[in-house]
Amino acid sequence: MTMFRAFAALANQSPGLTTPLATQVNPPPSFPAFISTDQSPAGKSLPALFPAIETSTLLDIARHEFRPLDLCKLDPTSKFRRADMERTDSNGTRFTGTKDYPTFHNLLIPLTTYFSVLQAFAASSGDAHATFVIGHGAARYISHLTSLNQKYEWTAVLQYHVHFHLSRRQEMLTGSYAGWARPDDLLLTEFCLGNARAMSSVRKSTGSSETCFAYNKGSCTISPCPDGRVHKCRKCGAKDHPEKDCKKT
């Protein structure tokens, strides 16, 4: 008992004997303030930001009335042919849009423009979170489509895209944009499953010796090429730069 009292007295005189040493917590890293000298989209209208696109088309995008197959309107190199398209809406019949979108690349270019317009429209409202959600969703969706195009027949992927866009359009009308970042399992089952690329077709695509013209113009930036073509300079044959950057005279 005497020893216990002596130990207690010693502990009172030396708190460090009974109190564990405080764990040193490193403060979280501090990120620098974001600085941009570019003009904010809030200071410009959509027609001013995208002068090559008809105002009526920009309005359709802003109102979420833009039809998926109308992406041709956003590609200046495309010859838009509405007569070649079947009516497509949430209750419409299946369609054949391969005349205007014969390959994944033909869809990818205007699709990225569509997302740029949508993101600029969100940024013009000053809603930073919505701008991020749209940008994040666009990146995830394009990556998703790229993966699908490598696994399934292009006609099946195109049908998946159109119906996916129609579903997202209904959500966007309610103010929700997060759906672009999530695959739609029901649509995958309906349009893609059972339409896998044949192995011979995959080998032919990946082993193609045809040069990618879009790469040489600077518009095809995904490697490997979504259309299975070779990314090399048409002028000198080098694979480290496109023709537009070639210094060979």
Side-chain angles (χ1 to χ4, degrees), residues 79-199:
K79 295 181 179 179
F80 180 68
R81 300 182 299 274
R82 179 177 292 276
D84 292 338
M85 299 181 183
E86 296 180 17
R87 179 176 179 272
T88 308
D89 54 31
S90 56
N91 298 316
T93 58
R94 294 195 180 186
F95 61 92
T96 53
T98 52
K99 288 186 177 181
D100 289 276
Y101 310 99
T103 66
F104 173 64
H105 183 72
N106 295 108
L107 180 78
L108 180 62
I109 293 177
L111 181 60
T112 55
T113 302
Y114 168 80
F115 282 126
S116 294
V117 174
L118 194 61
Q119 195 169 13
F121 180 55
S124 68
S125 70
D127 191 333
H129 178 68
T131 304
F132 164 76
V133 170
I134 293 172
H136 174 70
R140 293 289 298 271
Y141 182 62
I142 289 175
S143 177
H144 174 52
L145 275 188
T146 302
S147 177
L148 292 181
N149 182 55
Q150 293 174 345
K151 297 177 181 178
Y152 302 103
E153 294 292 337
W154 169 235
T155 53
V157 176
L158 182 58
Q159 290 190 19
Y160 171 84
H161 161 70
V162 170
H163 288 80
F164 187 96
H165 188 164
L166 289 171
S167 297
R168 303 293 77 75
R169 190 170 69 169
Q170 295 303 312
E171 293 174 352
M172 290 188 294
L173 286 171
T174 67
S176 176
Y177 299 87
W180 286 105
R182 297 189 296 265
D184 191 315
D185 292 336
L186 291 178
L187 293 180
L188 283 172
T189 301
E190 181 177 359
F191 296 110
C192 294
L193 294 186
N195 291 293
R197 286 183 179 272
M199 291 303 296

Side-chain angles (χ1 to χ4, degrees), residues 213-228:
F213 288 90
Y215 168 75
N216 280 279
K217 293 180 180 179
S219 56
C220 182
T221 58
I222 297 178
S223 184
C225 179
D227 296 331

